[in-house]
Amino acid sequence: MNDFVPRPHEPYDAHWAIKHDLVNIIAKYTDRGDYETAAVYIEALARYSDD
């Protein structure tokens, strides 16, 4: 007998996931001291957030 009861869950938000990944990438390069590469990702995050 199957006792599985489906439960509602939040829908997957791809925009949130991409922004979250970009923030993590920026943090990684900033921690390494590579501010030039971090600036590229900051610009990408700013362009993506404008949409």
Side-chain angles (χ1 to χ4, degrees), residues 4-51:
F4 176 73
V5 177
R7 293 185 173 84
H9 62 353
E10 302 232 356
Y12 178 73
D13 185 4
H15 293 285
W16 179 89
I18 292 169
K19 290 177 185 178
H20 185 262
D21 289 345
L22 286 172
V23 169
N24 286 337
I25 292 168
I26 292 165
K28 177 181 75 172
Y29 283 113
T30 302
D31 289 344
R32 292 181 181 177
D34 188 355
Y35 299 106
E36 185 177 331
T37 304
V40 172
Y41 285 102
I42 290 170
E43 182 182 330
L45 179 60
R47 281 186 283 145
Y48 190 79
S49 297
D50 287 342
D51 292 344

